[in-house]
Amino acid sequence: SQQGEEDPQALSIQEGENATMNCSYKTSINNLQWYRQNSGRGLVHLILIRSNEREKHSGRLRVTLDTSKKSSSLLITASRAADTASYFCATDSTGAGSYQLTFGKGTKLSVIP
Amino acid sequence: DGGITQSPKYLFRKEGQNVTLSCEQNLNHDAMYWYRQDPGQGLRLIYYSQIVNDFQKGDIAEGYSVSREKKESFPLTVTSAQKNPTAFYLCASRKISPVVEAFFGQGTRLTVV
């Protein structure tokens, strides 16, 4: 079963606007990660936030984590056409000795020039 | 250059035929993963391995088999028992001590003809 569920499934914005994507998950986690996928390519890691962290920044990316609500959000500020891609959250669960990495269904972001 | 390599990029399979997808990494990563991605969908875990000669089933292991005889290699065989194998297959690897992000190959697109 897929652990994370991203929302919305698709998002279309104008260049320069901010994009916010949300991820909800079901079980306790060690960390949550966000990845990006350009069409027909492999995934690229964007940012990792640990369960004891609440917010993390990397360039134009801001990730928040609320473990009480089992949710995370990814904010891309001042979006560019090159940000057009699918974005996935992935969770590392807390099972003993298990390093299973589980992905959600993704949010497809379109940034219109 | 260090990285994770999947081959071939495109693969065509006849009905009833077994095919093997290659995944090699020279990053000295402990864990390796196989995911299946259907059009417009997220990633579903097929198998993963945390150590040589050991692997665990993911959510959709039926019709697939793997081996991990070397740390660098984690081939996936799609057997004739997999009734709907047409999909995009992604291999990933990462260190697990400490747990960090995963690195992905560029994927293999498998089509049944």
Side-chain angles (χ1 to χ4, degrees), chain A residues 6-62:
Chain A
E6 288 89 343
D7 170 58
Q9 291 185 3
L11 180 61
S12 184
I13 59 173
Q14 296 289 329
E15 200 165 29
E17 293 180 339
N18 294 344
T20 299
M21 289 158 267
N22 303 296
C23 169
S24 59
Y25 57 91
K26 298 172 186 173
T27 62
S28 296
I29 60 171
N30 286 322
N31 65 69
L32 186 143
Q33 304 173 37
W34 285 90
Y35 290 79
R36 166 193 168 126
Q37 183 184 34
N38 287 79
S39 182
R41 307 295 296 273
L43 277 71
V44 175
H45 179 260
L46 295 175
I47 197 164
L48 181 152
I49 186 165
R50 303 197 184 278
S51 60
N52 61 354
E53 297 176 310
R54 291 297 166 258
E55 188 171 313
K56 204 161 183 180
H57 297 255
S58 177
R60 293 185 295 113
L61 305 180
R62 172 178 167 249

Side-chain angles (χ1 to χ4, degrees), chain A residues 1-2 31 33 35 37 40-45 48 50 88 92 97-106, chain B residues 33 35 37 40-45 48 50 57 59 88 90 94 96 99-102 104-107 109:
Chain A
S1 59
Q2 289 182 287
N31 65 69
Q33 304 173 37
Y35 290 79
Q37 183 184 34
R41 307 295 296 273
L43 277 71
V44 175
H45 179 260
L48 181 152
R50 303 197 184 278
F88 296 88
D92 261 311
S98 171
Y99 296 96
Q100 183 169 330
L101 186 61
T102 306
F103 284 81
K105 295 183 178 180
Chain B
Y33 304 80
Y35 293 92
Q37 187 176 31
Q41 299 297 311
L43 279 66
R44 292 186 289 169
L45 182 63
Y48 67 106
Q50 297 168 187
K57 293 182 179 180
D59 298 320
F88 189 51
L90 287 159
R94 65 172 177 168
I96 56 174
V99 169
V100 293
E101 71 273 20
F104 278 80
Q106 289 303 301
R109 190 167 299 279

Side-chain angles (χ1 to χ4, degrees), chain A residues 65-85:
Chain A
L65 179 64
D66 186 336
T67 53
S68 66
K69 295 181 179 178
K70 291 186 168 59
S71 67
S72 173
S73 67
L74 170 67
L75 169 68
I76 304 174
T77 60
S79 64
R80 306 166 181 168
D83 294 328
T84 295

Side-chain angles (χ1 to χ4, degrees), chain B residues 26-47:
Chain B
N26 60 4
L27 301 166
N28 198 32
H29 285 172
D30 308 293
M32 297 186 74
Y33 304 80
W34 274 107
Y35 293 92
R36 170 181 170 141
Q37 187 176 31
D38 293 285
Q41 299 297 311
L43 279 66
R44 292 186 289 169
L45 182 63
I46 305 172
Y47 272 98

